[in-house]
Amino acid sequence: VVATDDEKIAECCRGFGADVIMTSVSCQNGSERCCEALQKLRKHYDIVVNIQGDEPLIEPEIIDGVVMALQRAPDAVFSTAATALKPDDAFDTNRVKCVVDNQGYAIYFSRGLIPFNKSGKVNPHFPYLLHLGISGFDSKFLKIYPQLAPTPLQLEEDLEQLKVLENGYKMKVIKVDHDAHGVDAPEDVQKIEALMRARNIQ
């Protein structure tokens, strides 16, 4: 299902046969939009996956992995994926970085480089992680998410997943091998289109 508040997007998606749910312009982020779409579907699902529209090349295996991670971590309400951060993206604030603990649970997400060492430089030997635009939710928690007040870190970084962590909920992160190409800025569109042509993706 494509959840959007934009009629142009809805019309385009209906044109290739997608199911579309119109959501409110008041949704603050994709998590709130997913919650509204779930309510409008009037169906029961244990897990809801949000694949952001700016991640057109996300692989089906990653979607499956995010679902399985949540199923296997009963103490988590949220799951997501991360891949190796390219050195060129280290200081790009559109590329969100994350750090995880030894059990694969998220510690923090940031638009800045994390961890940040004392030299202030990128450590070529450190396995920095890039967060991908995909989220798995326990459907019960998804209904709670919009009711939680915005949190200081969420607002400062403008990252919706931080509200989950700041409220003490657990988030599982899977590490994947993904040649990440999200559309975070207008100039990314040409890169994506070139990759799609190279891979013969319509």
Side-chain angles (χ1 to χ4, degrees), residues 31 34 46-50 70 77-78 135-139 141-142:
S31 302
C34 281
D46 295 324
I47 293 173
V48 174
V49 179
N50 174 21
L70 196 53
V77 297
F78 188 113
S135 307
F137 297 93
D138 176 279
S139 63
F141 172 74
L142 182 58

Side-chain angles (χ1 to χ4, degrees), residues 87-99:
D88 290 347
D89 291 335
F91 298 105
D92 185 340
T93 56
N94 287 316
R95 304 289 193 246
V96 177
K97 297 80 176 175
C98 71
V99 287

Side-chain angles (χ1 to χ4, degrees), residues 133-166:
I134 180 170
S135 307
F137 297 93
D138 176 279
S139 63
K140 295 187 188 74
F141 172 74
L142 182 58
K143 293 171 184 174
I144 294 170
Y145 182 90
Q147 300 169 24
L148 299 172
T151 52
L153 296 174
Q154 173 202 2
L155 294 173
E156 186 64 20
E157 294 258 17
D158 189 22
L159 294 174
E160 61 195 276
Q161 61 271 33
L162 289 177
K163 184 165 77 164
V164 180
L165 296 180
E166 283 183 89

Side-chain angles (χ1 to χ4, degrees), residues 12 45 69 71 85 117 119 134 136 179:
C12 175
Y45 298 97
Q71 289 173 326
L85 177 71
N117 65 64
S119 74
I134 180 170
D179 190 10

Side-chain angles (χ1 to χ4, degrees), residues 83-99 108-131 157 159:
T83 193
L85 177 71
K86 295 174 182 172
D88 290 347
D89 291 335
F91 298 105
D92 185 340
T93 56
N94 287 316
R95 304 289 193 246
V96 177
K97 297 80 176 175
C98 71
V99 287
Y108 193 66
F109 296 84
S110 181
R111 295 184 180 277
L113 182 65
I114 51 172
F116 192 77
N117 65 64
K118 287 195 292 185
S119 74
K121 298 176 183 176
V122 176
N123 178 353
H125 306 295
F126 191 88
Y128 299 101
L129 292 175
L130 171 71
H131 180 232
E157 294 258 17
L159 294 174

